[in-house]
Amino acid sequence: MRGDRTTPVELVWFKRDLRVRDHAALAAAVERGREAGRKVVALFVFEPEVCRAQEFDGQHLSYLLDALGELSGSLAKRGIPLLLRTGTMPEVLRELRREVPFARLWSHEETGLLATFARDLRVAEWARGAAIEWTELPQTGVVRRLRTRDGWARLWSQRMEAPLAEVRGRGLGPAWLVPDPVPQAEDPLCEVWGVRPARRVDQSRGGERAARKVLSSFLDKRGAGYTPAMS
């Protein structure tokens, strides 16, 4: 048991893409874990500076909690624990490393708020200083750090045509580590985040299943006149 607790793991940092299917960072971490004989652990961080941003609302928090609940269940079926932490990055990573030694950090590239951009810069600086390899994988057609737009269309096509990233297998996480419970709307932690969950009557539920239902309704019915309507 002690050996399990000291063996480094592959850590997948979930940001805004809270799904298992076609999650390139998760699939790559699982594959690398198999090659290196390491288990996989997932992490989501409630960041007060993000939750308190002007762009964030209680409706977003309700949607987020829905998605985290489904994500935790999907990961649990594969034996991967989802750890939930509250705090500022990279301090959370620094503290977590004392509890769960991780050899590598995985995540998607994120195109988001100024607060998340500044946070990613801090995480990158910390990772370099801590000798932690942070692998960011693209999830959209946004191509970062281009010096010129020449060749952008080719890179975009490669990303859009890439096969889905699938996670296969069970027992992929360390047996001694259990997932954290997903907070509910009445959880006092919401005060720390600076926003209370709120939900409109017509608001969609969060989570991969609900998202696929919305997508299917658009492709099968609602989007029938989308192109001419846009024109």
Side-chain angles (χ1 to χ4, degrees), residues 18-19 62-72 205-208:
L18 303 179
R19 56 179 171 164
S62 293
Y63 192 91
L64 173 61
L65 294 179
D66 289 342
L68 285 173
E70 184 176 336
L71 174 65
S72 181
R205 303 289 299 190
E208 189 172 352

Side-chain angles (χ1 to χ4, degrees), residues 52-199:
R52 293 169 182 164
Q54 185 177 2
E55 298 87 352
F56 197 86
D57 187 77
Q59 297 173 43
H60 298 139
L61 184 53
S62 293
Y63 192 91
L64 173 61
L65 294 179
D66 289 342
L68 285 173
E70 184 176 336
L71 174 65
S72 181
S74 298
L75 289 171
K77 292 178 181 178
R78 295 161 174 81
I80 300 175
L82 175 62
L83 304 183
L84 302 177
R85 297 293 184 269
T86 296
T88 302
M89 307 290 279
E91 285 74 15
V92 168
L93 293 174
R94 186 179 296 111
E95 184 65 27
L96 179 63
R97 199 178 179 199
R98 300 190 183 102
E99 174 189 353
V100 184
F102 52 92
R104 189 177 288 104
L105 178 65
W106 301 83
S107 74
H108 270 137
E109 288 182 346
E110 181 177 9
T111 302
L113 309 175
L114 180 59
T116 61
F117 177 69
R119 168 255 277 152
D120 282 353
L121 292 179
R122 295 196 304 270
V123 170
E125 182 179 5
W126 171 82
R128 287 192 295 269
I132 293 291
E133 181 181 347
W134 179 21
T135 301
E136 293 182 279
L137 298 177
Q139 67 175 146
T140 67
V142 177
V143 183
R144 293 164 48 171
R145 303 182 183 91
L146 283 178
R147 295 181 179 273
T148 172
R149 288 184 60 84
D150 294 344
W152 172 85
R154 175 180 54 81
L155 293 172
W156 182 88
S157 296
Q158 288 177 353
R159 292 186 179 189
M160 295 299 102
E161 296 169 4
L164 296 181
E166 298 290 353
V167 177
R168 295 180 175 85
R170 298 177 183 275
L172 302 174
W176 60 268
L177 194 58
V178 297
D180 291 322
V182 176
Q184 301 301 308
E186 63 277 6
D187 197 294
L189 276 177
C190 296
E191 299 294 341
V192 177
W193 305 330
V195 60
R196 299 295 303 179
R199 192 186 300 277

Side-chain angles (χ1 to χ4, degrees), residues 28-71:
V30 168
E31 185 62 28
R32 183 65 65 87
R34 286 197 181 102
E35 295 173 356
R38 297 188 181 119
K39 298 296 187 177
V40 178
V41 173
L43 170 70
F44 181 85
V45 181
F46 293 98
E47 302 169 81
E49 69 266 37
V50 174
C51 296
R52 293 169 182 164
Q54 185 177 2
E55 298 87 352
F56 197 86
D57 187 77
Q59 297 173 43
H60 298 139
L61 184 53
S62 293
Y63 192 91
L64 173 61
L65 294 179
D66 289 342
L68 285 173
E70 184 176 336
L71 174 65

